[in-house]
């Protein structure tokens, strides 16, 4: 299947850019989230990924999965400083979250230099 597309991008959320509609003002959580559709069939007890162009002709099973792209240093800092779970659930206390957001932005900007 060299040179053939094995997945279809169904959605993309860019949380690195502050102007993005997906940017979270409270946590400033940063990542790129891609929703990818993949197709496969079972052959002799093996799961075989198919190129997109073969999905219909081979009656492929399809599934949409999410792939998140993170900057390792920002992800760990977000968890440590902001108290945000690895999957991005924000703090419940808004005052603490706003203060943590300020600290996070300072930390992020200082490390961007």
């Amino acid at each position: 299947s060299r040179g053939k597309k094995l997945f279809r991008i169904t959605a993309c959320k860019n949380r690195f850019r502050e102007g993005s509609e997906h940017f979270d003002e409270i946590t400033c959580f940063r990542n790129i989230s891609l929703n990818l559709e993949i197709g496969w069939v079972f052959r002799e007890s093996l799961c075989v990924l198919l190129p997109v162009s073969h999905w219909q002709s081979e009656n492929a099973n399809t599934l949409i999965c999410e792939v998140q792209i993170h900057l390792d240093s920002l992800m760990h800092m977000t968890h440590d400083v902001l108290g945000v779970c690895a999957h991005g659930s924000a703090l419940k206390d808004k005052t603490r979250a706003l203060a943590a957001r300020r600290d996070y932005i300072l930390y992020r900007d200082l490390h961007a230099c």
Side-chain angles (χ1 to χ4, degrees):
S1 298
R2 188 177 178 145
K4 295 186 179 184
K5 296 189 300 184
L6 289 176
F7 58 85
R8 191 181 296 154
I9 298 174
T10 61
C12 177
K13 295 178 183 178
N14 181 354
R15 294 187 185 103
F16 283 110
R17 190 171 53 88
E18 270 189 59
S20 167
E21 66 183 283
H22 306 290
F23 182 78
D24 187 328
E25 287 292 326
I26 299 293
T27 65
C28 299
F29 187 72
R30 304 281 177 122
N31 75 358
I32 292 178
S33 170
L34 298 173
N35 286 358
L36 305 178
E37 184 177 19
I38 60 171
W40 75 93
V41 293
F42 287 102
R43 291 188 185 143
E44 299 176 19
S45 301
L46 294 175
C47 180
V48 179
L49 292 180
L50 296 175
V52 174
S53 59
H54 295 193
W55 290 0
Q56 188 171 6
S57 65
E58 299 210 32
N59 199 23
N61 299 292
T62 60
L63 172 76
I64 296 176
C65 61
E66 180 178 81
V67 175
Q68 293 184 356
I69 301 168
H70 297 266
L71 294 176
D72 191 50
S73 59
L74 286 179
M75 186 177 75
H76 290 294
M77 201 289 307
T78 300
H79 180 267
D80 295 343
V81 174
L82 292 181
V84 175
C85 299
H87 56 78
S89 297
L91 297 166
K92 301 296 183 210
D93 178 0
K94 188 172 183 173
T95 304
R96 183 172 167 225
L98 290 173
R101 176 183 184 272
R102 181 197 64 233
D103 294 343
Y104 168 72
I105 290 171
L106 176 63
Y107 176 88
R108 181 197 69 211
D109 292 348
L110 286 172
H111 281 80
C113 297

